[in-house]
Amino acid sequence: MHNLTSIANPWVAELPVYEPGRPIEEVARELELGDVAGIIKLASNENALGPSPKAVKAMTAAAGSMHRYPDGSAFYLRRGLAARLGVEPDEVILGNGSNELIELLAHAFLSPGAGVVVADRAFVVYRLVATAFCARTVSVPMQDLTHDLEAMAAAIDEGVRLVFVSNPNNPTGTMVEAEALDRFMEHLPGHAVAVIDEAYIEMVDPARRPDTLRYVREQRNVFVLRTFSKAYGLAGLRLGYAVGPAEGITLLHKVRQPFNANAMAQAAALAALEDTDHVQKTCALVRDGLACLGNAFDRMGLDYVPSAANFMLVRVGEGRKVFEQLMRRGVIVRPMEAYGLPEYVRVTVGTAPENERLVDALEDVVRP
Ligand SMILES: *Cc1c(COP(=O)(O)O)cnc(C)c1O
């Protein structure tokens, strides 16, 4: 006998709940597959190598201090990140995952009716957050499953405050090139802010990485989002960061919770930053895995989208059905209807044996 939905903000009531990748334990429970050990998860673009061993060591050492609140200003981590990125510490802010930073940007820049420009197949969280703030989502069609920055620039009307560019984009794995981004930034009007989400940038060939931190040094209206969830293998800790002009970072500090970056995460991230070896191994694993999956899909006659990150969109026919059939074989991938891509599933690059399991299961499922 509740009327909560009718008295809630209508724009919240109409929101779908975000559908994350299915956790291994949940799938085991539901399908009564018994042992979780037989199930592999290639559904959330996690790091197949696991966390940085240096981060694990730092967390173990930090465990005994967990009765203390975190350093709310995250002094050491912001200083470490700033030094590594060639910016100032007051140009960096941490978040409970980079997802929280998307929300902080909304707190700072969106009011009901404000415009948010996104690509139609970009990371879905941008539009969910926009809707939660009663903003107006301006959805711009992609070209060849790639952000069309010219069309996005043309879609920026006077009410637009935020423009999201996911680079590489999840779930398509595609990238915009540096020249296109430069041109886009040149023409960005003063009332709009570009948010460049680089969740996977550490895995991208350095020659292909646009120098987005230069926009920060040039004091443009820009925030660059990064995360410890992917290349650093720390998705469970929830830690991301934004780099932007100090004035903009100060705005985000005003709307964050006092201790939004937890102490365990800060300790782990400081150590992970030094673990270049782990990031390099991750990149090599991803490069080899992408090649291996690409070859297998070619052999099976399946279309796929060449990817710059640690996942791939592959066209399997009925995506939801294939997702379910793979799950019954103990392989969790991600269906893509939420992105208007019902014929595809998105698969995360795993270890070599995991990739092999995926290919075997897929061959079993899509064989006519
Ligand atoms: C995985 C991902 C993130 C990272 O989210 P966290 O909250 O940092 O775990 C951000 N943006 C995109 C596009 C992603 O795919």
Side-chain angles (χ1 to χ4, degrees):
M1 237 278 300
H2 284 295
N3 63 339
L4 295 177
T5 305
S6 66
I7 63 171
N9 291 325
W11 56 92
V12 173
E14 78 187 24
L15 265 174
V17 175
Y18 179 76
E19 188 192 349
R22 305 281 313 269
I24 289 177
E25 292 78 8
E26 183 182 289
V27 169
R29 235 171 17 244
E30 242 172 59
L31 298 180
E32 295 176 358
L33 288 179
D35 194 1
V36 295
I39 302 176
I40 61 171
K41 182 183 175 199
L42 302 174
S44 299
N45 305 340
E46 293 151 342
N47 189 325
L49 279 187
S52 144
K54 288 191 174 161
V56 173
K57 210 167 148 213
M59 285 190 277
T60 311
S65 308
M66 286 303 126
H67 59 304
R68 302 280 181 210
Y69 277 99
D71 171 7
S73 74
F75 178 83
Y76 293 106
L77 182 53
R78 282 193 305 115
R79 191 179 65 176
L81 280 166
R84 185 158 295 259
L85 302 170
V87 299
E88 298 300 320
D90 62 2
E91 293 174 319
V92 180
I93 185 174
L94 302 176
N96 187 244
S98 50
N99 270 275
E100 188 196 23
L101 294 160
I102 297 169
E103 199 176 314
L104 297 186
L105 286 161
H107 274 295
F109 293 102
L110 299 183
S111 53
V116 177
V117 175
V118 299
D120 62 348
R121 267 112 199 207
F123 189 42
V124 75
V125 171
Y126 312 141
R127 64 176 67 226
L128 293 181
V129 169
T131 306
F133 283 78
C134 196
R136 170 172 56 89
T137 300
V138 181
S139 186
V140 178
M142 285 190 160
Q143 281 284 355
D144 299 328
L145 294 177
T146 306
H147 280 73
D148 181 348
L149 290 182
E150 276 185 36
M152 289 179 74
I156 302 176
D157 60 51
E158 274 186 10
V160 166
R161 290 293 174 271
L162 297 176
V163 184
F164 284 95
V165 178
S166 175
N167 205 40
N169 179 49
N170 173 13
T172 59
T174 53
M175 281 195 82
V176 292
E177 304 301 330
E179 304 78 63
L181 204 51
D182 281 346
R183 240 175 297 130
F184 172 80
M185 289 302 297
E186 285 302 330
H187 294 108
L188 189 70
H191 59 78
V193 179
V195 183
I196 307 174
D197 184 346
E198 298 187 331
Y200 303 92
I201 202 70
E202 297 88 352
M203 303 174 187
V204 173
D205 176 359
R208 273 192 85 188
R209 288 181 209 164
D211 182 12
T212 50
L213 297 176
R214 181 170 57 87
Y215 304 143
V216 176
R217 287 181 213 110
E218 293 170 353
Q219 302 293 305
R220 312 277 191 110
N221 282 1
V222 70
F223 291 89
V224 177
L225 306 186
R226 298 210 179 149
T227 182
F228 285 92
S229 294
K230 306 289 162 52
Y232 292 99
L234 298 172
L237 279 183
R238 314 305 304 127
L239 192 69
Y241 58 96
V243 190
E247 184 188 341
I249 295 297
T250 299
L251 290 167
L252 301 189
H253 278 298
K254 294 180 187 198
V255 292
R256 70 170 171 86
Q257 289 183 32
F259 304 110
N260 66 329
N262 72 72
M264 194 61 101
Q266 290 186 37
L270 254 178
L273 267 187
E274 301 302 319
D275 199 348
T276 44
D277 183 51
H278 188 68
V279 175
Q280 270 170 18
K281 281 182 184 153
T282 300
C283 293
L285 186 86
V286 168
R287 196 181 50 235
D288 295 349
L290 286 173
C292 152
L293 290 176
N295 287 338
F297 299 152
D298 282 337
R299 203 174 61 235
M300 296 160 73
L302 298 176
D303 281 346
Y304 58 91
V305 184
S307 172
N310 69 335
F311 56 84
M312 227 188 234
L313 268 185
V314 54
R315 190 184 208 151
V316 292
E318 282 182 73
R320 172 66 57 172
K321 200 169 125 204
V322 168
F323 156 73
E324 269 155 20
Q325 288 171 321
L326 288 175
M327 198 152 59
R328 259 175 263 124
R329 287 162 177 79
V331 180
I332 314 173
V333 300
R334 199 73 162 266
M336 285 284 117
E337 307 100 319
Y339 289 90
L341 298 165
E343 295 184 352
Y344 289 82
V345 293
R346 191 195 66 199
V347 301
T348 303
V349 174
T351 59
E354 286 174 337
N355 297 334
E356 212 170 299
R357 278 257 331 254
L358 166 70
V359 169
D360 288 348
L362 200 54
E363 266 173 342
D364 205 18
V365 164
V366 299
R367 179 171 297 148

